[in-house]
Amino acid sequence: MSNKNVLVINSGSSSLKFAVIDSESGEALVSGLGECFGLPEATIAWKFNGEKTEQAITAPDNHHQEAINRIVKLMEELSLKETIVAVGHRIVHGGEKFTSTVRIDDAVLAEIESISDLAPLHNPAGAKGIKAAMEAYPSLPQFAVFDTAFHQTMPKKAFTGSISHELYDEYRIRRYGFHGTSHYFVSQEAAKVIGKSVEESNFITVHLGNGASVCAIANGKSVDTSMGFTPQAGLMMGTRCGDLDPGVIEFLLKKGWTQEKVFETLYKKSGFLGVSGLTSDARGILEAMAEGHEGATLAFQVFTYRVAKYIASYLVPLNALDAVIFTGGIGENALDIRREILENLSLLGFTEDKAGNEAARFGAAGQIGESALLGAKVLVIPTNEEFVIAKESVERI
């Protein structure tokens, strides 16, 4: 067993994901999820050697701390404690301060908390996870890996909003982008596939899951991405609307909607769920569409159309294109969605390799198409964000 294992923690407002990752192979030795924090039904569950175990979390005041304490005990029970060399934390927002992974100290923790208004649902939760882990593992180095860091190479013309410069100067309102660890990982893997150094490679990476984003990568660096100031912008998603005329918000407020109802609708009742009127899950959309459900069919069409539009537009910041890369839960598995996206891009010469598309699912990577016109491949590469966090942490010990 490797002695370069990293405990990776992804702390949400009401949940906490964790895994012990071998930083050399990327293998998850154990993985788990604590959820329903703050509620009586809070639980923590994990998988080890193919077996799943679940327990209740009963601490009345701090479910995050009890979850971390349970994880610490679990590491001892599984004889993993002595193999862990660091704790890596996924932090959603690093603002403009953090452009790479950093070792956490009191100053870094304070900075993460100070920019919580940029990610009010995520950064405070991430800080909770850090504090709990530092208390549980005071002798281990702890690192923060930021979703936004990879996109800090975007040029000003890509991240600047067409709004008053005072809004940027005072509040730092700009495009930040998210899913950075995923876009980074698949671009690194794709460079190996095409036999080029990543510094000489140009990709459009397409992370499709319940949250979804597209990224243009020139010579290994992010130069544009679809998510913006928040993870709400860009593509249609499971429950999020993506790009929307801001005038809609004003219109609804004037109609008597409360601010809370407006944003609850845009964040949690839109996307696949809103358009289909049925479900936020792409699998449910595809099943219902096959049965002739009109709402599901429309949701499928809106989603694939918008993804194709973003892919096409991201040729603009690139001088060449080596590959379009699909990843994420939908991107890795939903061949019908990938097929429709490529069909929408036919004017750019994209064609599907039907056998390749059938094969590249359920954890399998592969080529599913190409554009002879652009000289570009279409690849599926499963993402591994936890592996990125583990490697980034070990490299900075």
Side-chain angles (χ1 to χ4, degrees):
M1 184 181 294
S2 171
N3 283 322
K4 289 191 175 180
N5 295 331
V6 176
L7 173 59
V8 174
I9 294 175
N10 179 356
S11 184
S13 57
S14 60
S15 65
L16 187 148
K17 295 180 183 178
F18 71 95
V20 176
I21 304 294
D22 184 325
S23 65
E24 295 180 335
S25 70
E27 178 188 2
L29 305 178
V30 60
S31 61
L33 171 66
E35 55 188 342
C36 298
F37 289 3
L39 299 173
E41 58 267 31
T43 60
I44 185 167
W46 61 88
K47 286 185 180 179
F48 179 70
N49 286 340
E51 294 187 9
K52 183 176 180 179
T53 303
E54 182 173 314
Q55 294 182 352
I57 294 178
T58 57
D61 301 321
N62 193 339
H63 286 167
H64 285 83
Q65 186 66 61
E66 183 177 348
I68 295 287
N69 291 343
R70 187 66 194 87
I71 293 166
V72 171
K73 186 177 179 182
L74 179 64
M75 297 305 102
E76 295 173 349
E77 293 170 353
L78 301 179
S79 300
L80 291 171
K81 180 181 177 182
E82 300 305 319
T83 73
I84 296 172
V85 297
V87 182
H89 298 265
R90 179 210 177 200
I91 303 298
V92 166
H93 218 305
E96 294 182 322
K97 172 73 174 181
F98 298 109
T99 60
S100 62
T101 297
V102 295
R103 186 164 180 164
I104 299 170
D105 56 21
D106 290 342
V108 168
L109 179 56
E111 187 70 30
I112 289 170
E113 292 182 307
S114 76
I115 55 176
S116 287
D117 57 345
L118 296 177
L121 296 179
H122 297 93
N123 275 33
K128 279 186 182 180
I130 290 171
K131 290 174 182 176
M134 291 178 79
E135 182 175 322
Y137 285 112
S139 62
L140 284 181
Q142 313 232 359
F143 298 89
V145 182
F146 300 91
D147 268 14
T148 51
F150 181 59
H151 302 300
Q152 285 296 300
T153 54
M154 285 190 292
K156 280 189 174 182
K157 65 181 179 181
F159 73 68
T160 301
S162 51
I163 53 178
S164 168
H165 67 85
E166 294 173 358
L167 295 176
Y168 173 71
D169 293 341
E170 186 169 354
Y171 301 114
R172 287 298 184 259
I173 295 176
R174 49 158 287 181
R175 182 177 302 278
Y176 286 101
F178 301 88
H179 292 141
T181 51
S182 179
H183 292 297
Y184 167 79
F185 176 80
V186 298
S187 66
Q188 296 283 319
E189 294 300 301
K192 299 173 188 175
V193 172
I194 65 173
K196 295 173 69 172
S197 71
V198 72
E199 293 81 11
E200 297 175 319
S201 302
N202 298 281
F203 302 120
I204 297 174
T205 51
V206 188
H207 179 108
L208 303 180
N210 192 52
S213 65
V214 183
C215 181
I217 299 175
N219 305 120
K221 295 182 177 181
S222 171
V223 292
D224 207 346
T225 190
S226 59
M227 283 182 168
F229 181 65
T230 73
Q232 172 73 302
L235 303 177
M236 169 179 156
M237 304 176 221
T239 64
R240 283 173 262 173
C241 64
D243 290 340
L244 179 77
D245 180 347
V248 172
I249 297 172
E250 180 188 27
F251 176 84
L252 292 175
L253 291 173
K254 287 182 176 179
K255 289 293 182 181
W257 283 43
T258 64
Q259 178 179 307
E260 183 180 35
K261 183 179 178 181
V262 169
F263 287 99
E264 172 85 5
T265 299
L266 299 183
Y267 271 89
K268 298 181 179 180
K269 298 179 180 178
S270 298
F272 275 134
L273 176 61
V275 177
S276 71
L278 188 67
T279 179
S280 63
D281 191 299
R283 291 166 295 190
I285 293 293
L286 292 171
E287 290 169 3
M289 186 174 72
E291 296 171 358
H293 189 283
E294 290 186 10
T297 301
L298 181 59
F300 170 85
Q301 292 171 340
V302 173
F303 181 76
T304 52
Y305 175 64
R306 287 192 174 196
V307 174
K309 280 206 301 180
Y310 258 102
I311 292 172
S313 70
Y314 278 1
L315 292 172
V316 173
L318 302 178
N319 294 320
L321 180 65
D322 292 301
V324 172
I325 307 158
F326 287 96
T327 195
I330 296 172
E332 294 170 24
N333 297 301
L335 69 88
D336 288 329
I337 286 176
R338 299 188 308 226
R339 174 176 294 141
E340 184 71 8
I341 292 167
L342 293 180
E343 178 64 28
N344 284 335
L345 292 167
S346 60
L347 184 62
L348 295 173
F350 284 98
T351 56
E352 176 196 4
D353 176 341
K354 292 186 178 180
N357 198 13
E358 290 277 355
R361 290 191 292 167
F362 313 125
Q367 182 171 340
I368 66 167
E370 65 179 352
S371 168
L373 179 65
L374 299 174
K377 301 178 185 296
V378 183
L379 306 174
V380 172
I381 297 180
T383 194
N384 193 337
E385 296 172 87
E386 291 81 7
F387 189 20
V388 173
I389 294 170
K391 286 204 301 182
E392 294 263 318
S393 298
V394 166
E395 288 171 1
R396 287 164 173 79
I397 294 177

